[in-house]
């Protein structure tokens, strides 16, 4: 992602991707491609910055991959001490556009410089990992109990249209000469494809129905042409929707098979996340013994995903003071686990997934230093 022409990914000059594995190690570019295949960057939110963010100049072998929620100086120290050539940081350590990269610019810049100088690659999956059927949100939803069913709150669609073009234009032409002339001009419009003609009968006369696919930009040229030829009133436009991906998307709306009290769910969640405490805001008119049937779940910061969702309870990492007031005012209780506490436990799941996905050719380790910055004092 770029803004005002400034680069937000640090990558060396591209070269041909080698075989994924050589002996007992992987090449960085190929390992990154395998990570992309596991959590496709196209599933990430549009504002996010995911994928390979910092690439030491090739060739760069990867024998050990360290997983962390946040890349901090202690975590980078740990990665170097444990011999990691690649760090997968769930939160992108390189997020905002850079105008300069110097040791004096800030702690994140110092981290990036030190990682590059130490030849440690940086990769982040972030919201692409959230969206997966077995991703972060599905993992967090499991805190509610094994018999809970869930669906994505914001479903993801396939990454490409099933056909070329985003729109289908259909129109009817009566005279053969006009049909031939219109088709000749339509075929010259860029980004028009899949032109099909079928016999049709309209207004008691034999005519020809023309169907074509095109981009939104090309549609304007097509409609201008049809208007010039008096065919505008005989035209239909269809938006080609991308199919939904099963169980893929942001957040989860969960239905408990058997209602449970709020106090019981709090204990389940604390045990699952291995936390000694969570923060609770009771919905107006609700108590700890109120029965919970539906729970809206979003790992991390849940405002944008959970906003307006009807449920008995919201489970997320963090929300602002006023966001919580808005929710509880509508009678919905809120459980906050702290931002990264709602995500960190998934790293152990991810470790198992990557061992299989990378065919046990790369040593996958989880940071022992990484922790939420907020502690009870």
């Amino acid at each position: 992602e770029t803004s005002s022409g400034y680069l937000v990914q640090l990558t060396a000059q591209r070269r041909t991707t080698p075989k994924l594995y050589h002996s007992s190690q992987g090449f960085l570019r190929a390992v990154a491609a395998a990570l992309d295949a596991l959590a496709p960057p196209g599933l990430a939110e549009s504002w996010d910055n995911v994928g390979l963010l910092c690439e030491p100049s090739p060739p760069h072998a990867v024998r050990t991959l360290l997983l962390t929620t946040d890349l901090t100086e202690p975590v980078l120290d740990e990665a170097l001490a444990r011999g990691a050539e690649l760090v997968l940081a769930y939160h992108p350590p390189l997020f905002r556009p850079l105008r300069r990269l110097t040791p004096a610019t800030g702690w994140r810049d110092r981290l990036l410089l030190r990682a590059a100088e130490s030849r440690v690659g940086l990769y982040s999956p972030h919201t692409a990992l959230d969206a997966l059927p077995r991703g972060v949100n599905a993992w967090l939803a499991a805190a509610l109990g094994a018999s809970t069913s869930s669906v994505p709150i914001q479903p993801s669609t396939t990454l490409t249209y099933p056909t070329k073009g985003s729109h289908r234009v259909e129109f009817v032409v009566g005279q053969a000469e006009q049909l031939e002339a219109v088709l000749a001009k339509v075929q010259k419009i860029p980004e028009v494809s899949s032109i099909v003609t079928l016999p049709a009968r309209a207004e008691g006369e034999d005519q020809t129905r023309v169907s074509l696919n095109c981009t939104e930009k090309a549609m304007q040229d097509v409609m201008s042409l049809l208007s010039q030829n008096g065919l505008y009133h005989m035209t239909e436009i269809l938006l080609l929707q991308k199919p939904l991906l099963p169980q893929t998307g942001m957040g989860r709306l969960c239905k408990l098979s058997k209602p449970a009290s709020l106090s019981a769910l709090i204990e389940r969640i604390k045990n699952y996340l291995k936390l000694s405490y969570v923060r609770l805001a009771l919905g107006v008119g609700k108590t700890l013994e109120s029965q919970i049937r539906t729970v809206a779940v979003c790992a991390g910061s849940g405002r944008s995903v959970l906003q307006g969702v009807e449920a008995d309870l919201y489970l997320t990492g963090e929300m602002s003071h006023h966001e919580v007031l808005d929710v509880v005012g509508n009678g919905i209780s809120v459980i906050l686990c702290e931002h990264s506490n709602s995500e960190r436990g998934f790293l152990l799941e991810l470790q198992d997934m990557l061992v299989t996905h990378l065919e046990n050719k790369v040593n996958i380790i989880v940071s022992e230093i990484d922790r939420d910055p907020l502690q009870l004092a």
Side-chain angles (χ1 to χ4, degrees):
E1 182 181 356
T2 57
S3 176
S4 303
Y6 296 105
L7 185 67
V8 298
Q9 285 189 318
L10 302 178
T11 57
Q13 184 176 359
R14 294 191 178 275
R15 67 196 293 262
T16 303
T17 302
K19 285 183 64 178
L20 178 55
Y21 302 115
H22 177 266
S23 181
S24 59
Q25 67 196 36
F27 290 101
L28 175 57
R29 186 67 65 82
V31 172
L35 295 175
D36 285 350
L38 178 67
L43 293 178
E45 297 280 46
S46 59
W47 48 261
D48 210 352
N49 190 39
V50 298
L52 183 59
L53 304 182
C54 181
E55 178 184 7
S57 56
H60 184 71
V62 176
R63 300 172 184 83
T64 300
L65 165 60
L66 181 135
L67 309 180
T68 183
T69 306
D70 293 298
L71 181 65
T72 59
E73 292 190 74
V75 170
L76 183 56
D77 289 339
E78 178 189 17
L80 295 173
R82 299 176 71 179
E85 296 88 6
L86 177 62
V87 172
L88 184 152
Y90 169 75
H91 292 134
L94 184 57
F95 189 73
R96 294 181 178 85
L98 296 174
R99 293 178 181 271
R100 58 183 55 83
L101 188 60
T102 70
T105 310
W107 71 272
R108 288 188 183 275
D109 295 41
R110 290 195 300 273
L111 272 181
L112 295 173
L113 282 170
R114 188 176 171 211
E117 291 168 351
S118 303
R119 294 186 58 76
V120 174
L122 302 177
Y123 183 97
S124 177
H126 203 203
T127 53
L129 200 58
D130 291 351
L132 293 183
R134 290 180 56 204
V136 181
N137 283 306
W139 167 82
L140 182 58
L144 302 173
S147 58
T148 301
S149 61
S150 67
V151 294
I153 294 173
Q154 296 178 356
S156 298
T157 60
T158 55
L159 303 181
T160 58
Y161 282 96
T163 59
K164 290 184 178 180
S166 57
H167 291 74
R168 177 166 296 158
V169 179
E170 296 185 353
F171 57 94
V172 175
V173 182
Q175 299 177 359
E177 297 81 3
Q178 187 182 29
L179 173 64
E180 186 176 342
V182 168
L183 288 179
K185 293 179 180 178
V186 164
Q187 291 169 350
K188 294 179 180 179
I189 299 176
E191 301 178 351
V192 169
S193 62
S194 305
I195 302 175
V196 177
T197 59
L198 295 170
R201 189 165 182 83
E203 299 178 355
E205 297 181 1
D206 290 333
Q207 302 192 26
T208 301
R209 174 171 286 275
V210 180
S211 172
L212 60 88
N213 293 345
C214 62
T215 63
E216 187 170 0
K217 177 182 177 182
M219 183 176 63
Q220 298 176 17
D221 295 330
V222 171
M223 296 310 299
S224 176
L225 174 64
L226 297 181
S227 180
Q228 293 170 14
N229 286 268
L231 301 172
Y232 190 88
H233 67 289
M234 304 284 286
T235 302
E236 294 179 346
I237 300 174
L238 306 174
L239 176 63
L240 300 179
Q241 299 281 1
K242 296 180 181 180
L244 297 180
L245 291 172
Q247 289 299 312
T248 304
M250 299 302 165
R252 292 295 185 271
L253 182 59
C254 306
K255 183 176 181 180
L256 278 62
S257 59
K258 183 179 180 181
S261 69
L262 179 56
S263 60
L265 285 182
I266 290 172
E267 292 306 312
R268 285 186 202 175
I269 292 165
K270 288 196 298 184
N271 290 335
Y272 183 83
L273 298 180
K274 297 179 173 59
L275 298 175
S276 60
Y277 77 97
V278 293
R279 291 190 288 162
L280 170 68
L282 286 172
V284 171
K286 301 301 168 63
T287 70
L288 286 174
E289 297 311 311
S290 294
Q291 296 296 294
I292 305 297
R293 294 172 176 78
T294 57
V295 184
V297 173
C298 181
S301 180
R303 182 194 64 83
S304 62
V305 173
L306 301 181
Q307 189 171 22
V309 177
E310 293 185 8
D312 299 320
L313 172 69
Y314 282 4
L315 171 61
T316 186
E318 64 172 331
M319 296 177 74
S320 74
H321 173 82
H322 294 289
E323 290 164 358
V324 172
L325 286 180
D326 287 341
V327 175
V328 299
N330 289 320
I332 301 172
S333 297
V334 178
I335 293 177
L336 303 179
C337 309
E338 308 303 357
H339 188 114
S340 65
N341 287 341
S342 67
E343 304 159 335
R344 182 169 291 102
F346 179 74
L347 294 180
L348 294 175
E349 300 278 330
L350 181 60
Q351 182 183 34
D352 291 340
M353 293 167 65
L354 289 176
V355 167
T356 301
H357 190 69
L358 298 177
E359 302 174 8
N360 210 26
K361 298 294 185 178
V362 176
N363 182 31
I364 313 296
I365 59 177
V366 178
S367 172
E368 299 172 355
I369 303 296
D370 177 45
R371 57 178 49 86
D372 195 275
L374 293 173
Q375 304 291 327
L376 285 176

